[in-house]
């Protein structure tokens, strides 16, 4: 069940229900002022387009109803071709399930719908991609139809009467599919192939999350607020090593379990309180992991050594349990931890009446934050090629971040999730260009007049990885290029519009107005992509082909304004007074995720600038890094440091003895998280032999001086 009853009874009190793996931190009911703050929070979110009106909701329901009827018709037709008796055909059934943000009830205006077609055992996956695809093609309301059959999670994508739908397929070992089918039972996974299990995973995780929260409406409003905040602050992207929709949903769900009677305004504040104090890599669990004896691989650091390298584990509650955040790196975890502290500082002020909710949703100015940047440019000769190419390049950017983190002179590498179109003046007429920017903090040089830093290998091994992958999947075409360049903050105006790189405040009204223009997944980083099976494996470029942006300038969106307001420094620890939550778990390991040891090779213009060692005062991230090196440097073999420690949770420290925690070894290692084998091509696979003009083997070397 989703809750347990505490065994102890004190002074004749009624036993308390609690959710999750521990008892709650507070059972306090909301005061009138809490309801008022919640109403203000809801009003503050409205300008950002996070709520759909009744007509839009009804339109979605109508489209899903049509699609469900369509599926039933198709399954009946395919059953007839397979010579099932008429009585069986009448009852064969079939059903559409939704998952992700729509199923959770937190989708935004214009968001797509993640859906799953469930069929009985006699319908094959090939039937879905052949006859069902052909049937969809004939439907006049269906546009932009495309199938991605060889993706990690195979999918058919289309627009149905204006609504984007990603439709997965799973067949169960059942003769018929009843309308009241519940997918939460683990027995449905028996005798299924791995692609069906992955396809079912999104629905099972979403349903389990909803089952495990005390109050669904409070959960939904809180999650809407946290997702909007994460997008505005530039930390919503599973692909780039931040968190995706499912991970944010699980963090909010855990907060709701710990404060089961609180309303959204309180829960948002408690969210920041809990996770600004969380001691990663202790995992976030919504329930005790269960073994269904189906021999499927699950996240378990006691058994799987690679699971011990995960830096910020958030474990899905449905079997087979997986870590939804294996892309998180040392840098992205540091950035998110700072943002949790900043969110706590702002919500403290809000609940003390010192400011209002709009401040929580003000974006930082990424382009004022660092002194040094790497500009990553991906270009192609046609728009169609560019869409494919930037999808692949973006899915591998975290490999580059991992390479940079392991450089002994780099403290932090911060990638901005928003991509930008190339400067028309510097691009040829027939070239389509997209750019990403990575902010770099260099380690302070001690006892040395100057240090030479060579980033050539870090860049080359990344570009070789991309070219090799593109070659392996036959994507590589003439004109596809990657280039990396080091620039200083004062040079950014050569690449970006002036308004992005100037220290200029804009009114919140203007920010709100500009936040709703984009509808593409890439430019809006929309929360609709909550499919955990794809959310946790973005490495396969085909698994989310629509996540790329068009080479033309993306319309303003939740994250497009991410640089229009200067950043506010996160609070120092000594400013956080009166925090009642205990510190959670064991001491933090300086682990950094790896792009794997198999990534070898390429590019950049030759740049030899002079770097000062003094910190840039406009960068709170840099200020927070002075005492420590965030990324572990250069991989070596893991070692076990001390006896195994237990997985702990905040409430576990408040009420000791209530949790049966899973012991995990604490690893003190500078080796980084391994990506699954499918993430990177085999190092032995050759680099493309043709089109050598793509591979620009120039160096990026920098002289880091102690004094300017």
């Amino acid at each position: 069940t989703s809750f347990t009853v505490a065994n102890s009874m004190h002074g004749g009190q009624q036993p308390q229900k609690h959710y999750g793996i521990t008892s709650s931190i507070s059972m306090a009911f909301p005061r009138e002022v809490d309801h008022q703050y919640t109403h203000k929070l809801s009003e503050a979110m409205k300008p950002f387009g996070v709520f759909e009106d009744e007509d839009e909701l009804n339109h979605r329901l109508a489209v899903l109803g049509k699609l469900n009827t369509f599926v039933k018709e198709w399954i009946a037709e395919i059953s007839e071709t397979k010579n099932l008796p008429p009585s069986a055909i009448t009852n064969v059934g079939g059903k559409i399930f939704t998952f992700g943000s729509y199923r959770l009830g937190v989708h935004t205006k214009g968001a797509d719908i993640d859906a799953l077609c469930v069929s009985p055992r006699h319908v094959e996956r090939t039937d879905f991609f052949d006859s069902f695809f052909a049937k969809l093609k004939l439907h006049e309301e269906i546009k932009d139809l495309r199938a991605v059959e060889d993706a990690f999670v195979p999918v058919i994508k289309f627009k149905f009467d204006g609504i984007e739908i990603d439709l997965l397929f799973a067949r169960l070992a059942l003769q018929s599919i009843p309308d009241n089918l519940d997918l939460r039972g683990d027995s449905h996974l028996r005798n299924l192939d791995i692609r069906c299990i992955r396809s079912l995973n999104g629905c099972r995780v979403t349903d389990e999350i909803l089952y495990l929260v005390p109050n669904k409406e409070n959960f939904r409003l809180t999650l809407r607020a946290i997702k909007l905040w994460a997008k505005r602050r530039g930390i919503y992207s599973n692909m780039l090593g931040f968190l995706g929709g499912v991970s944010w949903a699980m963090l909010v769900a855990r907060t709701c379990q710990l404060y089961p009677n609180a309303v959204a305004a309180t829960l948002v504040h408690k969210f920041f309180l809990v996770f600004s104090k969380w001691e990663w890599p202790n995992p976030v669990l919504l329930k005790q992991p269960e073994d269904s004896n189906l021999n499927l691989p699950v996240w378990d650091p006691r058994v799987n050594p690679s699971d011990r390298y995960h830096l910020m584990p958030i474990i899905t509650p449905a079997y087979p349990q997986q870590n939804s955040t294996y892309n998180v790196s040392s840098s992205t975890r540091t950035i998110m931890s700072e943002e949790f502290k900043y969110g706590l500082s702002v919500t403290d002020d809000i609940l003390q009446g010192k400011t209002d909710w709009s401040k929580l949703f003000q974006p930082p100015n990424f382009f004022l934050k660092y002194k040094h940047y790497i500009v990553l440019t991906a270009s192609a000769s046609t728009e169609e090629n560019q869409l494919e190419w930037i999808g692949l390049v973006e899915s591998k950017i975290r490999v580059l971040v991992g390479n940079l983190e392991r450089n002994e002179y780099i403290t932090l590498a911060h990638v901005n999730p928003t991509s930008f179109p190339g400067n028309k003046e510097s691009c040829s007429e027939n070239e389509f260009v997209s750019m990403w920017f990575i902010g770099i903090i260099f380690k302070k040089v001690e006892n040395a007049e100057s240090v030479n830093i060579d980033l050539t290998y870090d860049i080359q091994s990344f570009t070789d990885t991309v070219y090799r992958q593109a070659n392996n999947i036959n994507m590589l075409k003439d004109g596809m290029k990657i280039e990396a360049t080091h620039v200083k903050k004062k040079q950014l105006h050569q690449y970006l519009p002036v308004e992005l790189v100037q220290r200029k405040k804009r009114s919140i009204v203007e920010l709100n107005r500009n936040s709703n223009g984009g509808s593409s997944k890439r430019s809006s980083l929309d929360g609709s992509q909550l499919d955990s099976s794809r959310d946790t494996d973005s490495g396969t470029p085909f698994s989310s082909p629509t996540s790329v942006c068009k080479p033309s300038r993306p319309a303003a969106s939740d994250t497009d304004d991410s640089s229009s307001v200067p950043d506010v420094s996160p609070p120092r620890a000594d400013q956080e007074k009166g925090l009642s939550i205990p510190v959670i778990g064991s001491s933090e390991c300086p682990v950094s995720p790896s792009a794997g040891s198999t990534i070898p090779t390429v590019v950049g213009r030759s740049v030899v600038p002079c770097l000062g060692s003094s910190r840039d005062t406009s960068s709170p991230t840099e200020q927070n890094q002075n005492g420590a090196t965030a990324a572990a440097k250069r991989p070596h073999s893991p070692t076990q440091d001390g006896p195994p420690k237990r997985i702990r949770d905040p409430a576990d420290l408040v009420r000791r003895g209530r949790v049966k925690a899973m012991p995990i070894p604490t690893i003190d290692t500078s080796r980084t998280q391994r990506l699954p084998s499918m993430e990177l091509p085999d190092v032995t696979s050759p680099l493309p032999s043709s089109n050598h003009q793509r591979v620009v083997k120039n160096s990026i070397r920098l002289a880091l001086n102690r004094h300017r």
Side-chain angles (χ1 to χ4, degrees), residues 619-682:
S619 170
T621 310
E622 292 198 36
Q623 292 162 6
N624 289 344
Q625 298 297 324
N626 282 345
T629 302
K633 308 303 175 187
R634 300 300 173 201
H636 60 71
S637 298
T639 57
Q640 184 162 327
D641 184 15
K645 297 193 178 183
R646 297 171 68 83
I647 292 179
R648 295 198 286 186
D649 197 74
D652 185 24
L653 297 182
V654 178
R655 310 177 187 280
R656 290 178 183 271
R658 295 269 179 90
V659 181
K660 292 180 181 177
M662 182 178 10
I664 59 170
T666 300
I667 304 293
D668 180 13
T669 173
S670 61
R671 182 156 179 177
T672 59
Q673 166 201 331
R674 301 172 186 169
L675 295 176
S677 58
M678 76 199 118
E679 289 289 328
L680 297 174
D682 190 333

Side-chain angles (χ1 to χ4, degrees), residues 185-358:
D186 294 348
S187 61
H188 291 309
L189 301 179
R190 291 188 191 279
N191 305 316
L192 297 190
D193 71 59
I194 189 63
R195 289 171 299 179
C196 284
I197 290 171
R198 287 177 191 148
S199 298
L200 285 165
N201 194 43
C203 285
R204 286 167 50 78
V205 167
T206 306
D207 286 354
E208 199 67 34
I209 290 171
L210 286 173
Y211 186 69
L212 291 168
V213 295
N215 182 304
K216 293 181 180 59
E217 289 311 309
N218 290 340
F219 164 74
R220 285 175 176 136
L221 187 55
T222 307
L223 180 54
R224 284 185 184 277
I226 293 302
K227 287 177 65 172
L228 176 60
W229 163 80
K231 291 173 189 176
R232 299 290 288 173
R233 301 298 295 179
I235 54 174
Y236 190 105
S237 176
N238 175 67
M239 185 185 289
L240 293 176
F242 296 105
L243 303 191
V246 158
S247 301
W248 290 117
M250 288 189 285
L251 293 188
V252 171
R254 187 69 190 113
T255 309
C256 291
Q257 290 179 337
L258 295 171
Y259 301 90
N261 297 318
V263 289
T266 307
L267 287 168
V268 169
H269 179 245
K270 298 301 186 186
F271 172 90
F272 293 121
L273 181 63
V274 169
F275 294 108
S276 65
K277 296 297 181 185
W278 198 275
E279 288 206 353
W280 306 103
N282 291 296
V284 175
L285 297 160
L286 296 183
K287 63 184 241 186
Q288 279 296 345
E290 299 165 356
D291 188 0
S292 295
N293 296 316
L294 296 178
N295 294 321
L296 295 173
V298 298
W299 184 86
D300 188 344
R302 299 169 302 181
V303 176
N304 310 316
S306 61
D307 290 347
R308 300 170 195 170
Y309 301 102
H310 294 177
L311 300 186
M312 202 173 174
I314 301 171
I315 310 306
T316 57
Y319 179 84
Q321 297 85 9
Q322 304 293 319
N323 176 23
S324 66
T325 61
Y326 65 75
N327 288 341
V328 169
S329 73
S330 176
S331 289
T332 55
R333 185 179 69 175
T334 297
I335 292 156
M336 287 187 283
S337 294
E338 282 186 6
E339 289 294 345
F340 290 143
K341 291 173 185 174
Y342 173 67
L344 178 63
S345 172
V346 172
T347 51
D348 276 343
D349 287 347
I350 291 168
L351 298 184
Q352 291 169 22
K354 296 178 181 177
T355 187
D356 57 31
W357 286 107
S358 62

Side-chain angles (χ1 to χ4, degrees), residues 30-219:
R31 304 160 298 167
E32 179 57 34
V33 69
D34 298 324
H35 288 294
Q36 292 170 6
Y37 277 120
T38 297
H39 176 72
K40 290 177 182 176
L41 170 62
S42 186
E43 290 298 309
M45 288 193 285
K46 283 181 181 176
F48 295 96
V50 298
F51 301 106
E52 274 194 325
D53 61 35
E54 205 66 32
D55 290 344
E56 291 168 313
L57 288 169
N58 290 335
H59 179 50
R60 286 179 184 271
L61 288 172
V63 164
L64 287 169
K66 289 180 187 177
L67 186 60
N68 197 54
T69 303
F70 210 52
V71 163
K72 287 178 185 287
E73 288 175 3
W74 166 67
I75 290 176
E77 290 165 7
I78 207 84
S79 302
E80 198 170 345
T81 65
K82 300 199 176 190
N83 300 318
L84 264 69
S87 59
I89 293 172
T90 305
N91 300 312
V92 78
K95 188 174 179 183
I96 289 288
F97 291 84
T98 60
F99 60 100
S101 62
Y102 179 78
R103 173 72 179 96
L104 287 172
V106 296
H107 62 284
T108 56
K109 283 180 185 242
D112 70 352
I113 296 176
D114 293 308
L116 170 70
C117 170
V118 175
S119 79
R121 63 191 180 196
H122 60 272
V123 180
E124 306 277 348
R125 182 173 295 276
T126 51
D127 297 324
F128 178 72
F129 282 99
D130 292 340
S131 62
F132 185 67
F133 185 85
K135 188 176 175 71
L136 288 173
K137 211 169 188 177
L138 297 173
H139 201 291
E140 60 180 14
E141 289 184 292
I142 290 178
K143 312 289 184 190
D144 300 339
L145 181 65
R146 57 208 184 277
V148 195
E149 192 171 356
D150 54 354
F152 183 69
V153 183
V155 60
I156 292 178
K157 294 170 170 281
F158 53 93
K159 275 188 181 176
F160 194 145
D161 196 13
I163 293 176
E164 283 188 48
I165 295 177
D166 289 357
L167 187 61
L168 312 183
F169 173 82
R171 65 168 184 162
L172 302 185
L174 301 173
Q175 287 182 315
S176 63
I177 303 298
D179 285 338
N180 63 351
L181 178 68
D182 183 355
L183 295 177
R184 287 180 59 242
D186 294 348
S187 61
H188 291 309
L189 301 179
R190 291 188 191 279
N191 305 316
L192 297 190
D193 71 59
I194 189 63
R195 289 171 299 179
C196 284
I197 290 171
R198 287 177 191 148
S199 298
L200 285 165
N201 194 43
C203 285
R204 286 167 50 78
V205 167
T206 306
D207 286 354
E208 199 67 34
I209 290 171
L210 286 173
Y211 186 69
L212 291 168
V213 295
N215 182 304
K216 293 181 180 59
E217 289 311 309
N218 290 340
F219 164 74

Side-chain angles (χ1 to χ4, degrees), residues 245-548:
V246 158
S247 301
W248 290 117
M250 288 189 285
L251 293 188
V252 171
R254 187 69 190 113
T255 309
C256 291
Q257 290 179 337
L258 295 171
Y259 301 90
N261 297 318
V263 289
T266 307
L267 287 168
V268 169
H269 179 245
K270 298 301 186 186
F271 172 90
F272 293 121
L273 181 63
V274 169
F275 294 108
S276 65
K277 296 297 181 185
W278 198 275
E279 288 206 353
W280 306 103
N282 291 296
V284 175
L285 297 160
L286 296 183
K287 63 184 241 186
Q288 279 296 345
E290 299 165 356
D291 188 0
S292 295
N293 296 316
L294 296 178
N295 294 321
L296 295 173
V298 298
W299 184 86
D300 188 344
R302 299 169 302 181
V303 176
N304 310 316
S306 61
D307 290 347
R308 300 170 195 170
Y309 301 102
H310 294 177
L311 300 186
M312 202 173 174
I314 301 171
I315 310 306
T316 57
Y319 179 84
Q321 297 85 9
Q322 304 293 319
N323 176 23
S324 66
T325 61
Y326 65 75
N327 288 341
V328 169
S329 73
S330 176
S331 289
T332 55
R333 185 179 69 175
T334 297
I335 292 156
M336 287 187 283
S337 294
E338 282 186 6
E339 289 294 345
F340 290 143
K341 291 173 185 174
Y342 173 67
L344 178 63
S345 172
V346 172
T347 51
D348 276 343
D349 287 347
I350 291 168
L351 298 184
Q352 291 169 22
K354 296 178 181 177
T355 187
D356 57 31
W357 286 107
S358 62
K359 184 176 180 182
L360 185 66
F361 305 124
Q362 286 181 3
N365 193 328
F366 177 82
F367 299 106
L368 294 178
K369 198 169 187 179
Y370 302 102
K371 291 171 70 176
H372 301 278
Y373 294 84
I374 298 290
V375 184
L376 181 64
T377 305
S379 56
S381 54
T382 70
E383 185 173 352
E384 185 181 355
N385 287 353
Q386 176 69 350
L387 288 173
E388 269 193 305
W389 184 231
I390 64 175
L392 175 63
V393 172
E394 185 180 43
S395 75
K396 300 298 179 191
I397 288 176
R398 64 180 183 275
V399 173
L400 175 57
V401 170
N403 291 352
L404 293 171
E405 284 177 341
R406 288 190 300 280
N407 188 298
E408 63 181 316
Y409 296 110
I410 291 178
T411 299
L412 184 133
H414 180 180
V415 58
N416 186 336
T418 305
S419 66
F420 296 85
N423 191 326
K424 289 179 181 176
E425 295 173 6
S426 59
C427 299
S428 65
E429 195 172 318
N430 298 320
E431 195 174 33
F432 295 85
V433 177
S434 293
M435 299 182 297
W436 292 267
F437 292 81
I438 302 172
I440 301 292
I441 297 178
F442 288 100
K443 188 177 179 181
K444 194 169 184 179
V445 182
E446 300 289 350
N447 304 320
E449 286 302 314
S450 65
V451 174
N452 293 320
I453 301 173
D454 190 350
L455 301 181
T456 306
Y457 175 79
D458 300 330
I459 302 296
Q460 285 182 350
S461 64
F462 160 71
T463 51
D464 268 6
T465 298
V466 177
Y467 285 124
R468 186 175 283 112
Q469 173 90 7
N471 194 47
N472 286 353
I473 61 178
N474 298 316
M475 180 194 287
L476 205 54
K477 298 180 180 69
D478 284 337
M480 288 183 171
K481 294 184 290 187
I482 320 174
E483 198 164 2
T485 312
H486 165 267
V487 299
K488 291 186 177 182
K489 180 167 63 176
K490 62 187 178 185
Q491 298 169 300
L492 286 172
H493 69 275
Q494 299 170 21
Y495 298 86
L496 293 163
V498 171
E499 61 268 18
L500 289 181
V501 296
Q502 282 185 340
R503 188 179 293 275
K504 174 190 172 187
K505 283 209 173 190
R506 293 159 62 187
S507 72
I508 192 67
V509 175
E510 189 178 359
L511 292 174
N512 295 349
R513 185 173 64 247
N514 288 345
S515 69
N516 296 320
S519 61
S520 76
K521 279 188 188 177
R522 177 64 201 96
S523 62
S524 68
L525 293 172
D526 194 276
S528 58
Q529 297 184 64
L530 275 168
D531 165 15
S532 71
S533 52
R534 280 172 292 157
D535 236 334
T536 56
D537 186 89
S538 310
T540 313
F542 293 122
S543 60
S544 186
T546 59
S547 65
V548 296

